[in-house]
Amino acid sequence: FDDQALLLANHQKMKVSADHLLSLINDVLQMSKLEDGNTVLTHEVISLVDLTRDIVTIVIDRSTERGLIWDYEKGKSNIPYPYIYGSPVHLRQIFLNIYGNCIKYNRPGGRITTIVDTLEEHDNICTYRWTISDTGLRRQRQMCIRDSFEPFAQEKNDARSVYQGTGLGMSIVKSLVDKMGGTIEVSSQVGVGSTFVITIPFEIAPAPEEKAAPAPAAAVSY
């Protein structure tokens, strides 16, 4: 108890373990809601720029700790309508699960690449496509693409003990994307990596009006 450094180290381990346990419980509860049809998507104005910034803020430290290169190809991304209607919590959950998968099953010094495309726009609906790729594990055993969206599926037989997950992440992603009227496809090659292609249609939202600066107070003469 007198070893302050040891106490702080153990406290950090307990916090990591508690956060991990909470994430496992949330996965199980989310999957249960989806299976029961109790997940309700909200209809809110979303700034794709702000949403992307939030997601990057959450995952960038984890990717850096793994020695991964984060490559969000802004020059190749096309976002003509930055404001859309959608369910921000669930949209964020989709991408956090996918990026979490890319981080878990990536090799040290690997890369995560993201490209955003616009496929079509009609009747005030814009369809966006995200292509997210990782460089994979050099010796990973390729998993059946069909099985990757099954509940409790894992990349390897011992993945649950090695990667500390429920195997629900991609199943949750698939269910949420389906609920949003979109599609998700994944391709994987041993030693090369995986590519996730997420396509979702959104109702275009008007840009929020900027609040006018308050007028300067009129000079008062006494």
Side-chain angles (χ1 to χ4, degrees), residues 9 18-19 26 34 39 41 47-48 57 61 70 72 74 91 93 106 112-113 123-124 139 168 171:
D19 289 344
N26 285 337
L34 287 166
T39 296
L41 301 180
S47 165
L48 287 176
T57 299
D61 286 341
W70 182 270
Y72 193 92
K74 295 180 180 179
L91 196 59
Q93 188 174 16
N106 214 328
I112 299 174
T113 303
D123 300 327
N124 207 42
R139 296 184 179 180
L168 290 173
S171 183

Side-chain angles (χ1 to χ4, degrees), residues 6 9 12 26 32 36 66 72 78 91 109 121 123-124 145 147-148 168 179 188 218 220-221:
L6 180 61
Q12 181 61 27
N26 285 337
S32 177
D36 293 341
R66 290 289 304 276
Y72 193 92
N78 180 21
L91 196 59
E121 183 268 317
D123 300 327
N124 207 42
I145 301 301
D147 295 339
S148 64
L168 290 173
K179 200 171 182 66
S188 184
V220 179
S221 299

Side-chain angles (χ1 to χ4, degrees), residues 3-11:
D3 189 335
Q4 188 72 11
L6 180 61
L7 286 174
L8 290 174
N10 286 338
H11 180 269

Side-chain angles (χ1 to χ4, degrees), residues 14-91:
M14 287 188 288
K15 184 177 184 303
V16 170
S17 298
D19 289 344
H20 173 60
L21 180 59
L22 180 61
S23 70
L24 299 184
I25 294 172
N26 285 337
D27 277 354
V28 173
L29 292 176
Q30 178 69 76
M31 197 65 234
S32 177
K33 282 185 178 181
L34 287 166
E35 289 179 341
D36 293 341
N38 292 327
T39 296
V40 178
L41 301 180
T42 60
H43 188 260
E44 306 174 44
V45 176
I46 300 173
S47 165
L48 287 176
V49 174
D50 291 344
L51 181 75
T52 300
R53 185 186 302 115
D54 291 346
I55 293 170
V56 171
T57 299
I58 293 172
V59 301
I60 191 68
D61 286 341
R62 291 175 56 197
S63 61
T64 301
E65 288 173 0
R66 290 289 304 276
L68 303 176
I69 299 172
W70 182 270
D71 187 5
Y72 193 92
E73 302 195 10
K74 295 180 180 179
K76 295 184 179 179
S77 296
N78 180 21
I79 305 179
Y81 303 100
Y83 295 97
I84 57 171
Y85 287 108
S87 186
V89 171
H90 297 102
L91 196 59

